[in-house]
């Protein structure tokens, strides 16, 4: 299995564990780090709707909990009419641990449909370098 297939499998598997009773929209995310490790996360909704957590944020939390700090590649999967794209807040969350050229793959349960870079997702971003004078 190649690296992208492994990322896809991890995202599809974790997506089945999503807690999305309010939207009915289950999302899986899987991050590969330069070490080769994969960290997965699913969305976690809440009766207090705005408190819900996106799959990307859950995967990032797992990556940080393991002591890792860099995203090599990320894949998100959902059953979406359009290719699923990360929300604005998650673009910012991902940018913190990615490079402009880092790839995000968007997938349907049948496979990856679109790949693009963090720079394309969040052009002219405010990031860690913005805080340096
Ligand atoms: N959601 C994600 O987990 N990731 C995305 O990239 C887009 C949206 C979740 C949030 C909410 O639980 C559900 O999908 C519907 O918006």
């Amino acid at each position: 299995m190649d690296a992208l297939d492994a990322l896809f499998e991890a995202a599809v598997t974790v997506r089945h564990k999503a807690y999305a009773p309010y939207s009915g929209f289950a999302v899986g995310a899987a991050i590969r780090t330069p070490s080769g490790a994969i960290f997965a996360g699913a969305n976690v909704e809440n009766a207090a709707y705005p408190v819900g957590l996106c799959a990307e944020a859950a995967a990032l939390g797992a990556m940080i909990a393991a002591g890792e700090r860099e995203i090599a590649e990320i894949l998100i999967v959902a059953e979406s009419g359009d290719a699923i794209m990360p929300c604005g807040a998650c673009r910012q969350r991902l940018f913190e641990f990615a490079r402009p050229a880092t790839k995000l793959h968007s997938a349907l349960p049948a496979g990856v449909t679109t790949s693009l870079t963090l720079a394309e997702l969040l052009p002219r971003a405010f990031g860690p370098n913005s805080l340096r004078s």
Side-chain angles (χ1 to χ4, degrees), residues 23-124:
S23 71
F25 190 75
V27 185
I31 292 170
R32 189 170 54 75
T33 60
S35 73
I38 291 177
F39 301 98
N43 51 335
V44 186
E45 296 187 347
N46 193 282
Y49 294 177
V51 179
L53 188 71
C54 285
E56 295 89 331
L60 269 177
M63 180 189 92
I64 294 298
E68 301 240 21
R69 289 281 188 273
E70 197 182 329
I71 301 171
E73 206 172 9
I74 176 163
L75 186 148
I76 58 179
V77 61
E79 217 160 286
S80 178
D82 288 328
I84 181 174
M85 289 292 149
C87 76
C90 283
R91 292 175 196 214
Q92 186 71 38
R93 290 190 178 102
L94 296 173
F95 188 84
E96 184 76 16
F97 303 103
R99 295 163 196 272
T102 302
K103 283 250 167 75
L104 177 138
H105 308 282
S106 171
L108 294 169
V112 171
T113 59
T114 311
S115 300
L116 65 177
T117 66
L118 256 291
E120 289 174 301
L121 283 167
L122 195 63
R124 306 190 68 176

